[in-house]
Amino acid sequence: MRGQQFGPACRHAEIACKVRARWSTYRWEIVDHLPAEAARRDRPGTNGPAQTARHNRAMRFFKDLSLSAFTAGFVAVLVGFTSSVAIVFQAAQAFGATPEMVASWMWALGIGMGLASMLPSLWWRKPVMIAWSTPGAAVLAVAGAGHGMGEAVGAFVVCALLIVAAGATGWFERVMNRIPMAIASALLAGVLARFGLAAFTAAQTALPLVLLMLATYLVGKRWLPRYAVPLTLLVAIAFAAARGELAWSAVHFSLTWPVFVMPVFHWQAIVSLALPLFVVTMASQNLPGVAAIRAAGYGELPVSKLITISGLTTLVLAPFGAFALNLSAITAAICMGREAHEDPARRYTAAVSCGAIYVVIGLFGAAVTGLLTAFPKELVAAIAGLALLGTIGGGLAAAVRDEPHREAALITFLVTLSGVTIAGIGSAFWGVVAGAFALAVQRLGNRPGPPKAPAGQGLAASGNIATDSSNMAAPPGAGKTS
């Protein structure tokens, strides 16, 4: 009788025990195997998973950061600004910009490049480098006469919309996927080789400085390879300071305030400014930028999304002076190379450091620009060339490794290195055209061979140039915008 009386209660207790057991198993499998911060996300005093994710990314970044990576980011900023900031000033002045407007251009470009480099790098944990369009600034400096600042901003907006369309539709990435790796490697080597030549050409006007930097770099590569570039930079700065060659008088500390300019849309400005700006940005900047990404071993980065991000950033900041942002090639090679870090998975910290410095430049545009331009031009040229030696060598090795592509790759390299400009389009584009034409002629009448693996599968884990010379196709799924 008593067993019948307590039967239902026992069954309920048995069911409750099973539920607790299932919950324990679920918690062991799902919750206890998450990071400790994620397991505590529902406790009082926390703001949920979003804050936890941000905290984890920040802690991961500081754990991965190293002196060599930060120095690579600083060198990238130093090279990027000092090599072409004068062209940006000329472009702004061509539209009748006031000093406040010129400072606003630096604010917009610094903030845009910084955030568009820093945030994607933190999100994907891979180096993403965004820069202004140097050939685009040269086009604006030449074609800007006769157009006001409002018409210029309208042209910037149209160019930004075209860049967004190129990224969102994926057509630019599809074109890049058809370029053989040998051609892309030769393109990158040709773009960067000019900086390597400039490093030693600087010896004509600053022989002691260049020789000291070269000796320091070689000694550093022998005994402290990871810190060879930072050590060379420190020695060069100390040498220049001791000789009184640092122009500190150009540094004036003050915050930069953005100046909004209402865009004015005229078809004449669109034809003469927006379309040439778009063409040279895609052909002379984004094309070698993609080559730098894939040659460094980061072919899984979504190129179409990166193009879209650069276009959207330009669109938002165009009224303040951001004329065109794009993928970087030269500064990207600095932050994606072995000199930034031996571990490719930690090189994203160099891009984040570069982006953070860009943001500071945007906030203190005049002061930081003066600081960067205070360095002797020979110092900047030498440190850029030495920092890119490894990438140049890797690009040349990959370009000539495969005999069927060797001659076409050499043509690409030489045309790109020549610096020829035709119809306002730089040598990077014409190098690819010449190499592709040479390769097509060589293949006339030949039967197509077996399909080759995508180049991303042959990239070395160290982040150097791939050992195969197949097409530049990214791994499946990379770069999809959906």
Side-chain angles (χ1 to χ4, degrees):
M1 185 70 178
R2 179 170 296 181
Q4 295 177 358
Q5 181 177 358
F6 289 98
C10 291
R11 286 195 296 272
H12 288 311
E14 182 180 359
I15 293 173
C17 289
K18 290 182 178 179
V19 170
R20 285 194 296 271
R22 293 292 297 274
W23 165 246
S24 299
T25 303
Y26 166 80
R27 183 170 181 81
W28 184 86
E29 292 178 348
I30 305 300
V31 178
D32 293 344
H33 277 60
L34 290 175
E37 293 83 358
R40 294 193 297 268
R41 66 185 182 276
D42 295 327
R43 291 184 180 178
T46 64
N47 293 332
Q51 181 182 7
T52 300
R54 289 193 297 269
H55 177 74
N56 289 342
R57 291 182 187 277
M59 292 300 100
R60 171 73 179 272
F61 167 75
F62 288 111
K63 182 181 178 180
D64 292 342
L65 184 62
S66 64
L67 175 61
S68 59
F70 180 81
T71 304
F74 176 77
V75 171
V77 173
L78 180 66
V79 172
F81 259 82
T82 55
S83 63
S84 58
V85 69
I87 301 176
V88 175
F89 288 164
Q90 292 175 3
Q93 292 169 354
F95 300 107
T98 63
E100 292 76 14
M101 288 181 179
V102 174
S104 179
W105 277 43
M106 302 310 301
W107 177 90
L109 293 170
I111 296 296
M113 293 187 298
L115 295 180
S117 299
M118 185 167 53
L119 297 181
S121 297
L122 283 172
W123 180 260
W124 284 306
R125 292 199 183 98
K126 300 184 188 305
V128 174
M129 295 292 293
I130 302 296
W132 67 50
S133 174
T134 300
V139 168
L140 295 176
V142 173
H147 298 282
M149 185 60 70
E151 295 179 0
V153 171
F156 302 164
V157 170
V158 173
C159 176
L161 292 174
L162 292 174
I163 295 175
V164 171
T169 59
W171 70 264
F172 181 74
E173 184 172 8
R174 289 193 292 271
V175 171
M176 290 299 301
N177 288 343
R178 300 182 63 86
I179 299 177
M181 177 56 83
I183 301 296
S185 300
L187 165 67
L188 180 63
V191 171
L192 302 182
R194 280 177 282 175
F195 286 82
L197 293 173
F200 298 98
T201 304
Q204 294 179 348
T205 54
L207 181 61
L209 174 64
V210 174
L211 290 179
L212 177 63
M213 293 178 68
L214 178 60
T216 305
Y217 175 80
L218 293 176
V219 171
K221 289 292 287 186
R222 175 62 182 86
W223 281 282
L224 295 171
R226 184 173 173 181
Y227 302 103
V229 174
L231 182 62
T232 304
L233 179 61
L234 288 177
V235 170
I237 292 176
F239 182 81
R243 292 168 59 101
E245 296 176 352
L246 298 180
W248 299 116
S249 59
V251 181
H252 303 284
F253 289 96
S254 61
L255 279 172
T256 300
W257 297 99
V259 177
F260 179 85
V261 176
M262 182 64 67
V264 177
F265 299 97
H266 286 166
W267 70 266
Q268 295 95 336
I270 292 175
V271 172
S272 60
L273 297 177
L275 295 182
L277 179 61
F278 170 73
V279 171
V280 299
T281 298
M282 299 301 293
S284 301
Q285 294 288 103
N286 281 326
L287 193 149
V290 175
I293 289 174
R294 294 182 175 174
Y298 299 100
E300 66 274 17
L301 276 172
V303 171
S304 293
K305 289 183 179 180
L306 295 179
I307 297 293
T308 305
I309 289 172
S310 67
L312 290 175
T313 307
T314 303
L315 182 63
V316 172
L317 296 173
F320 304 100
F323 52 91
L325 300 180
N326 47 250
L327 298 177
S328 171
I330 298 163
T331 55
I334 295 174
C335 292
M336 293 179 181
R338 182 173 291 178
E339 288 76 11
H341 202 284
E342 286 293 332
D343 185 1
R346 297 175 65 179
R347 293 174 190 165
Y348 77 96
T349 57
V352 175
S353 301
C354 179
I357 298 174
Y358 277 144
V359 171
V360 173
I361 288 176
L363 296 177
F364 300 91
V368 180
T369 301
L371 180 63
L372 293 177
T373 54
F375 293 105
K377 61 180 182 179
E378 293 86 359
L379 186 154
V380 175
I383 195 63
L386 294 175
L388 292 170
L389 282 180
T391 306
I392 296 171
L396 286 174
V400 301
R401 181 177 292 114
D402 190 6
E403 185 174 356
H405 293 161
R406 185 173 299 166
E407 192 168 73
L410 282 176
I411 292 174
T412 300
F413 171 75
L414 293 174
V415 173
T416 305
L417 180 61
S418 70
V420 62
T421 300
I422 302 175
I425 302 177
S427 61
F429 174 78
W430 298 116
V432 173
V433 171
F437 178 75
L439 192 60
V441 172
Q442 291 175 358
R443 290 178 174 176
L444 286 177
N446 293 338
R447 294 182 178 179
K452 295 183 179 182
Q457 298 177 4
L459 291 167
S462 63
N464 291 331
I465 304 296
T467 56
D468 67 328
S469 300
S470 54
N471 288 347
M472 284 186 60
K480 291 183 178 179
T481 57
S482 58

